Amino acid sequence: MTTRRTLFALVGVGLLVTACASAPTGPAQPPIVFVHGNGDSASIWQSTVWRFEANGWPRERLHAIDLPYPLARDEDGKPQPGRTSTAEHMAFLKAEVEKVMKATGASQVVLVANSRGGYAVRNYIQNGGGDKTVSHAVLGGVPNHGVWAVKGFREANEFSGTGPFLTALNAAKNAAGDEVSSPVKWLTIRSDNNDKFAQPDGLWIGAKGTPTNVSFDGPALKGAQNLVLPRVDHRETAFSPAAFDATWRFITGQAPKTTAIPPQGQPVLNGKITGLGLSSTDPASGNYSNNLPLPGAQIEVYATDPATGERRGAAVHRKTVGTDGLWGPFTAQADVPHEFVVSAPGYATTHIYRSPLPRGSDLIHLRAERPAAADKDGKSIVTFTRPRGYFDAERDRMAFDGKALPGVPPTGAGVSSSKIKLMEDGVRPISAEFNGERITGRTWPSSDNRLVVLELTY
């Protein structure tokens, strides 16, 4: 893998990624389609979309897609409830691109992907006609040479570097041995050594001490521009300010005006309420992620006190969602944190606390949750989650209820949520902090079938 071209390692957001002279700028801004990773949803692109908007990209030309069943199959060719094959993933992306092109009248789009989403992008460009409809492809943290590459080990899984899917994608496209299809322009973004899915050791796939035969540069591709960002984790290769800076420069050939997210006075929020699948044909599979709307779910939104998490008066928004799952629109109070309460039959009442949201968005997706069997003896169950990155105890300043985060290892970035099972009665404030973002919620009792989520935005 050392023969793949790595441009340079860069610190912070002062990036210099050179794109071709024909890169679109000004009124020629093409639609951008954002493709999430394994088990994720369109909401994960929320802050990236805000950064594009802050730099003048029209909101109507920024499209984050929701794969209905975002998890990969254990064996790509074997149907599995609630999961998608590589062929289904590619077909969905192809259909979404065609919708975007029809709606905008554009002849080409830009594709920006994280993790598994990059597999669909590569498959579409190589095998689905995307070589004609895509101008630029940006792949953040995509395990292009597998999460493991061990002959005879789970080679039917799409994440196997020696399996048929990746072997075909990585086959040489020309005499130079390039792994990417032309005429599309390609950028890969990877971590220097902190991506849990680009590790020589199998620690993060449950095989500590076993070689994966994948190195830190596994996401790089011969024939692409390959960029290294120091210390970023698997998700930050796509969702960090540095990743945005690199993506903007690659698409436009220019530096962005800002990597910050300037606030709007009264942000209008909307999104989809989703749930969890429970397979009746395969009970052993348990709950699985999906991005399907949850019709009939109810939402209440409360402004909260930033110090105590207590509600400031009555609900400021209520709705029973329809077949589209949309819970808004809702005009938020500027600089005020909110509690989003989601309830639906078969689920716990889920209290989701967020710090003030700076801009309007249609990507504020909310998921109804179910309690884990191991937590049923707790008096209150509180989860602290960071959707757009992982927790790194050596790198980040963070605390959960005034202590270190349970379940976060002392080294490496491989955990994006932390859970506290409180054994005390009563309701009290509970806070979580991460690199300057602070969220305070309340310890609602699990005996009332309630769960609490403190969700980071950045």
Side-chain angles (χ1 to χ4, degrees):
M1 295 183 188
T2 56
T3 59
R4 288 181 226 123
R5 293 203 301 268
T6 300
L7 292 184
F8 31 68
L10 297 159
V11 179
V13 297
L15 308 177
L16 178 60
V17 179
T18 304
C20 66
S22 61
T25 58
Q29 291 161 320
I32 302 177
V33 178
F34 299 95
V35 189
H36 63 74
N38 199 44
D40 289 329
S41 76
S43 65
I44 205 164
W45 294 103
Q46 176 190 111
S47 56
T48 301
V49 168
W50 281 334
R51 289 187 172 98
F52 271 95
E53 289 178 5
N55 284 276
W57 214 279
R59 178 178 289 194
E60 64 271 16
R61 286 185 165 246
L62 300 167
H63 303 267
I65 68 173
D66 264 318
L67 182 64
Y69 297 103
L71 289 170
R73 294 175 177 178
D74 291 333
E75 296 183 22
D76 192 36
K78 183 178 178 181
Q80 189 173 3
R83 294 175 180 251
T84 50
S85 67
T86 54
E88 291 168 335
H89 197 182
M90 188 264 275
F92 181 81
L93 174 60
K94 179 182 174 73
E96 291 294 300
V97 168
E98 290 171 353
K99 287 180 189 175
V100 168
M101 292 174 65
K102 183 177 180 180
T104 61
S107 59
Q108 286 191 312
V109 302
V110 172
L111 297 182
V112 180
N114 173 245
S115 195
R116 186 196 182 208
Y119 286 176
V121 168
R122 294 186 65 196
N123 198 9
Y124 169 52
I125 292 172
Q126 182 167 315
N127 301 308
D131 57 322
K132 301 176 182 64
T133 60
V134 179
S135 64
H136 297 68
V138 180
L139 309 179
V142 177
N144 285 310
H145 294 87
V147 177
W148 62 87
V150 181
K151 276 289 186 182
F153 175 72
R154 298 190 64 194
E155 290 185 299
N157 186 285
E158 67 183 79
F159 294 108
S160 168
T162 55
F165 175 69
L166 285 180
T167 298
L169 281 188
N170 293 330
K173 308 300 185 290
N174 53 33
D178 287 346
E179 297 171 301
V180 294
S181 304
S182 59
V184 179
K185 299 163 187 67
W186 296 83
L187 172 68
T188 75
I189 305 174
R190 72 169 179 89
S191 176
D192 52 352
N193 60 17
N194 202 30
D195 185 334
K196 67 183 290 185
F197 296 124
Q199 294 290 323
D201 184 85
L203 170 65
W204 294 114
I205 58 172
K208 183 178 180 180
T210 301
T212 63
N213 297 333
V214 174
S215 61
F216 299 134
D217 72 345
L221 287 168
K222 187 172 183 181
Q225 295 189 26
N226 296 300
L227 178 66
V228 180
L229 298 180
R231 199 61 187 175
V232 297
D233 62 48
H234 177 65
R235 290 179 176 170
E236 289 170 339
T237 59
F239 310 119
S240 64
F244 164 75
D245 186 285
T247 300
W248 179 277
R249 290 173 187 262
F250 178 69
I251 297 169
T252 69
Q254 302 173 6
K257 293 182 297 183
T258 182
T259 59
I261 302 173
Q264 295 174 319
Q266 289 187 306
V268 178
L269 307 178
N270 203 348
K272 186 168 56 177
I273 294 180
T274 63
L276 297 165
L278 185 61
S279 173
S280 59
T281 58
D282 182 16
S285 68
N287 294 336
Y288 56 80
S289 298
N290 67 58
N291 292 320
L292 302 175
L294 190 60
Q298 295 182 312
I299 176 85
E300 293 181 344
V301 183
Y302 296 87
T304 61
D305 185 292
T308 66
E310 289 188 282
R311 295 171 178 174
R312 288 179 165 175
V316 291
H317 178 72
R318 281 192 176 93
K319 185 176 180 179
T320 299
V321 305
T323 55
D324 59 7
L326 296 179
W327 62 265
F330 160 64
T331 302
Q333 299 179 54
D335 302 322
V336 173
H338 288 87
E339 173 194 359
F340 300 83
V341 185
V342 178
S343 57
Y347 292 88
T349 298
T350 307
H351 300 258
I352 303 168
Y353 291 87
R354 300 285 298 265
S355 52
L357 295 170
R359 300 179 67 86
S361 176
D362 293 329
L363 297 176
I364 313 298
H365 292 355
L366 306 170
R367 189 182 298 281
E369 302 285 353
R370 296 189 182 107
D375 295 333
K376 290 188 176 178
D377 61 333
K379 299 298 177 106
S380 182
I381 309 301
V382 185
T383 299
F384 178 31
T385 182
R386 185 182 178 221
R388 280 156 281 281
Y390 291 85
F391 296 124
D392 187 333
E394 295 178 305
R395 178 194 65 183
D396 300 318
R397 303 185 315 278
M398 52 192 182
F400 188 8
D401 204 24
K403 307 178 186 68
L405 276 59
V408 174
T411 60
V415 176
S416 63
S417 66
S418 175
K419 184 189 295 182
I420 290 179
K421 181 167 65 172
L422 295 168
M423 305 306 291
E424 62 195 60
D425 290 314
V427 177
R428 64 170 175 85
I430 185 165
S431 298
E433 301 175 55
F434 178 84
N435 291 345
E437 184 177 358
R438 179 183 173 89
I439 308 169
T440 300
R442 308 287 290 177
T443 59
W444 292 90
S446 54
S447 59
D448 292 340
N449 195 28
R450 297 176 184 271
L451 295 173
V452 180
V453 178
L454 310 180
E455 181 177 329
L456 290 164
T457 296
Y458 305 101

